[in-house]
Each structure stands twice: as C-alpha cells, then as structure tokens.
Amino acid sequence: MTNVEKPRVLAIILGGGKGTRLYPLTKDRSKPAVPFGGKYRIVDIPISNCINSGFRKIYLLTQFNSASLHHHITNSYNFDRFSKGFVEILAAEQTLEHSGWFEGTADAVRKNFIHFKSQKPTHYIILSGDQLYRMDLKEFMNSHLESGADITIATTAVNERDATGFGIMKIDSKNKITEFIEKPSVEVLKSGNWKIPEKARGDLPKEKEYLASMGIYIFNAKVMEEALDNDYTDFGKEVIPLAIKDRKVNSYIFDGYWEDIGTIRSFYNATLDLTKDIPPFNFYDADSPIYTHMRNLPPPKVNGAPHIESSLLSEGCILINSKTIKKSIIGVRTIIREGTELDGVITMGADFYENEEAKAKNRKAQRPDVGIGKNCKIAKTIIDKDAAIGDDCRINVDGNKYPDGENKLANGVYFYSSDGIIVIRKGAVIPSGTVI
C-alpha cells in the first residue's frame, strides 16, 4: 500500500451467540438489539463509532433472534445514495459450500468472505456488538498503518483481579505483542512478567498493570484471509494466538471508558451509570453523537411528579402524578401512573400506545394497561418492553430473596432473578397487588 492510497475499510460487527448471560433480555432478540439507555439499542454504540470515524461500510453478523435487529437497522440507518455507505445484516445462511450455523467469531467471518470481498477492502475492522465505549476508530486505524503491523488489537489496562477474566497480552516497548494468555491465574501473571512495560504505560493508572484484549481488531485484508484459511472457529482463543507467533501483531492501548455489558449485572450497572452527574459514558457529545431510530415521538410529559432525581426520561413517556422517580431510566412511551415510586429501575418502554378500545378490552379481561399502575413501589428492577404492571404492586422492595433464574409466584406470575436484580419479561402481565 502506498502512502497516498486511502485505506478501504470494511467494518464487521459481531452479533454474538445466543446471549445466554443476558437472558431473558435476549429471549426474543439478539444481544445487539437489546434496548439501552432509554431510547437506544446496544448495537447503536459500535455503529455510531464507525460512522463518527468515517467508516460507513458496515456488516453485522448474527444468527439468533435477528428479526428485532433487522427491524431496528432498517428503520435507523439509511445512507444517501451518493455516500456508498450501508449498514447490512448478514445472518447465518445455508450455501452449497456450508450448511451449518456459525461455529464462532472467526467462523462467522470466514463464511461471509463472499460478501466482504465484493467491497474490495484493504482492511477489516472487527468490533463487538455488546460493548459500551466511545472510540475514535480512525485514530485506531492510523496507529495500525503507522506501525506497519499485520494485525492490531485494541487493548485496555486492567488490574490484577480483573485480568484473570480476560485474554492478557504481553508487549514490548514498541507495543508489539509477543505473547497471549487466556484468563490466567494470579500466580501465572506474577511469575511470567506480564506487566505493561514502563515505556508503554503513558498516563495509565498505576493499579492497572496488565493489558486485556477488548475483542476489537484491525486486519490487513490479505492477512485476515490467510489467517482464516483453516478450520479455526474463534479469534480470541485460536486465530490471534497463532498469528502472534508468525505475524507482526501490535497493541493499541485504549485508555477511555469501556464496559463489556454481557451480563444482567453489568448491563444494569452500566445503564444506571448514565444517571450520574458526570456519566462515564456520555451521550451528550455533540461531536460524536450516538445514532438510533428517529421515532418522531412527542417530548416527555410530566403531569405532576413531586420528586424526580438523577433519572433519564425518554421521548414519549408520560408521568401521571408519580410520587418518586430516583436513579432510573424511563424508556420510550413508558406510562407511570399516580403515586408510584421507582428507585433504580430501568424501563425499556413500549412499542405502542394503547387506544381507548384496547384499554376497554383490558378492563373487561381484568388486565392492567401497558405501563406501570398506581401506587406501585419498585426497586432494582429491569422492566422489558410492553409489560403491563397493575396497581399496588411491590417489586424488590421487601427484602425477598429468590434464586437466580426463572421464578413463579403462587398467582402464576413468572419473573426472572439475577444477582438480586429482578427482570420483568417483555410483554409480561403483572396483576394488581402482586408482591415480588
């Protein structure tokens, strides 16, 4: 590649597998399609990072519950015909060459080369579909080009305790990766000289002494095609460790906020962090906005709410004389009725407003309307889309303990518990007076 040739970059966002760690939020949708931050989807984060960095040829690879993701992408990302940009989903498909599912991240990319090669890329950038971060990918690419590396891996500094849960890189003073180890023990870390060299540390916090892979890669196009000319199925466990032995693989140290939101606990914490005075992930950045579906909904409507504290109210939501909303995320079209108190609650909103005819049918069937009823008290709970919670319900406020997983009350109500967080499923009906 000459100095004057502009790289032709193809971005590939990995949609992940079944998303079992985010269940039941992934029961009816893929991980990238999970609602986040009141009005967004998780997939909006990597897509926006690409668009803001000038990379507008984007493929999403997915195979599980992709209908919701298809709907969101179709309604959200339509570039003009002159830009030659696109955001396109590639779901697992049967062909004459292969008939099975994607067997891993590397296998998913390999099986889609037929689509990628038509774009004639010089470089591939591989991104995860379930991480929260804001990265200038153009700077990442420039670092790759300047280093002359075949592959560059985005890494983040972690402390000793967290390092045991990641793939850890050993680098030299010029950021070249010399070794890789998957989820090492503390003893291995201490005995193998895995700490970041002083010349590469810069302004990193002193307690963060190890480099963890973020699962974000840049490959020279020819190198990736050669690296996948085999039966290996996973980038992190197989392709990258092998490449380090015979390729120039560099580390790009990212020192900004990064969170893997692959579990209910991490999803809950990362979402509620948005309510802080200065959130670690900031949606209020005019230079690098996070894009999503333009719904043309009215602004939030507050018909009396004596106390709203450290909360986000999304477009189209209605608060009808609610009592207290504290450290909560209120999703699009959420309706919260008189006297209700929320503390540490994430509502994902609704896909529709019920009309008077629908409400009349609800009353006839003794079913609550979509939204949250009167005089409810709810804490530390995720309420998925289109849930209908009746009056006088108490959820996670009485100290009741439940085992992780599916739970069922005597009145037939199902709910999910994970690490003390209650999850109300999409479309669930919670009768008036229910106590969880």
Side-chain angles (χ1 to χ4, degrees), residues 59-71:
Y59 283 112
L60 278 78
L61 308 188
T62 186
Q63 64 181 346
F64 293 102
N65 290 333
S66 58
S68 178
L69 184 61
H70 273 274
H71 182 74

Side-chain angles (χ1 to χ4, degrees), residues 224-346:
M224 189 164 83
E225 291 166 15
E226 292 173 353
L228 296 183
D229 187 17
N230 47 52
D231 295 326
Y232 295 130
T233 60
D234 191 82
F235 277 110
K237 295 178 181 178
E238 298 169 305
V239 175
I240 295 300
L242 184 65
I244 289 171
K245 295 179 181 180
D246 55 11
R247 301 279 187 178
K248 184 179 181 183
V249 183
N250 266 35
S251 164
Y252 174 79
I253 302 176
F254 176 67
D255 60 359
Y257 172 78
W258 175 76
E259 181 65 45
D260 182 356
I261 45 179
T263 66
I264 292 294
R265 166 61 67 180
S266 61
F267 174 84
Y268 179 83
N269 289 340
T271 304
L272 287 195
D273 278 348
L274 300 174
T275 67
K276 292 180 177 179
D277 290 346
I278 303 177
F281 184 88
N282 183 18
F283 277 110
Y284 301 90
D285 186 337
D287 296 325
S288 300
I290 302 301
Y291 303 97
T292 193
H293 175 33
M294 299 292 289
R295 296 176 177 83
N296 297 316
L297 288 171
K301 184 177 182 181
V302 181
N303 294 341
H307 189 86
I308 301 177
E309 176 187 337
S310 301
S311 297
L312 300 183
L313 308 182
S314 302
E315 58 215 57
C317 70
I318 303 174
L319 277 58
I320 308 172
N321 295 319
S322 305
K323 187 175 181 180
T324 302
I325 309 293
K326 182 179 178 182
K327 198 177 181 182
S328 295
I329 307 288
I330 309 304
V332 294
R333 301 188 190 89
T334 297
I335 298 176
I336 304 173
R337 297 174 177 86
E338 294 93 329
T340 284
E341 302 176 50
L342 304 183
D343 185 359
V345 174
I346 300 167

Side-chain angles (χ1 to χ4, degrees), residues 86-207:
F86 59 83
V87 181
E88 184 175 330
I89 293 175
L90 295 175
E93 61 181 352
Q94 290 188 340
T95 69
L96 294 176
E97 286 75 28
H98 51 80
S99 59
W101 290 95
F102 297 152
E103 300 298 329
T105 54
D107 185 60
V109 171
R110 180 189 300 111
K111 286 177 177 174
N112 281 290
F113 269 137
I114 188 173
H115 304 294
F116 303 154
K117 288 181 180 179
S118 66
Q119 300 299 324
K120 298 180 179 179
T122 59
H123 296 82
Y124 293 98
I125 184 165
I126 312 292
L127 306 170
S128 173
D130 59 356
Q131 296 175 351
L132 183 62
Y133 64 102
R134 191 188 294 276
M135 182 188 290
D136 184 346
L137 299 178
K138 183 176 286 187
E139 182 179 305
F140 182 23
M141 176 60 68
N142 288 340
S143 172
H144 173 78
L145 297 174
E146 291 169 5
S147 71
D150 297 311
I151 305 168
T152 300
I153 302 174
T155 57
T156 185
V158 295
N159 59 35
E160 185 176 87
R161 174 175 51 82
D162 292 339
T164 57
F166 290 97
I168 300 300
M169 309 289 173
K170 182 185 290 187
I171 63 172
D172 63 20
S173 59
K174 295 183 179 180
N175 280 15
K176 183 178 184 295
I177 298 172
T178 58
E179 288 187 60
F180 170 88
I181 188 169
E182 181 76 16
K183 297 181 180 179
S185 66
V186 172
E187 291 73 22
V188 169
L189 287 173
K190 289 182 176 180
S191 63
N193 192 27
W194 289 89
K195 292 184 179 180
I196 305 169
E198 283 302 320
K199 288 185 178 180
R201 287 195 58 82
D203 297 325
L204 295 174
K206 289 183 179 181
E207 70 276 8

